[in-house]
Amino acid sequence: MDRARPLHGRPALRTEPRRRHLPPLRISRHPRGRGRRGDDDLQTALQFGYAHVRREERALLEEYPRLVRAALAHLTPDNATAVEELVRLVDGIRGYEDIKLARLADFRDQARGALGALESAPATTS
């Protein structure tokens, strides 16, 4: 006797579980299981490590302390607020990719101008 096909279009129930076809395991010889460095690491480096925005961020990490030291070298009681504003300029560098790069360029221009004004201002001693 033949089974009747279900009305909703599904095949009849299987009595054995369906086998899954999985890709072969990638066995690594490296003691930590990472395998040898190759195309995967290069792709990761291109995505995260060497992007233009990331290079600029790393350059800012070296540039900002130099800026603060230069500003503090010209610190007097008369220009303390100007030095504080110069040091706080970095807070405006936010955003994603192109926005961050534009704000970083603005920061560098403003910092260069503010530091030039501090250096050209006459030093007054109390």
Side-chain angles (χ1 to χ4, degrees), residues 1-42:
M1 187 175 191
D2 292 332
R3 288 187 180 182
R5 187 176 182 127
L7 295 176
H8 48 75
R10 289 187 180 173
L13 293 176
R14 294 177 183 257
T15 56
E16 296 179 10
R18 184 179 291 188
R19 288 187 66 179
R20 286 188 163 177
H21 296 284
L22 299 175
L25 291 176
R26 181 177 169 192
I27 299 173
S28 172
R29 292 185 191 171
H30 193 276
R32 293 190 183 148
R34 292 186 187 147
R36 64 185 180 94
R37 294 187 179 270
D39 295 336
D40 293 340
D41 291 335
L42 177 63

Side-chain angles (χ1 to χ4, degrees), residues 77-94:
D78 297 333
N79 65 4
T81 56
V83 170
E84 181 182 2
E85 290 173 3
L86 175 61
V87 170
R88 290 184 186 261
L89 282 176
V90 77
D91 292 338
I93 303 174
R94 294 184 182 165

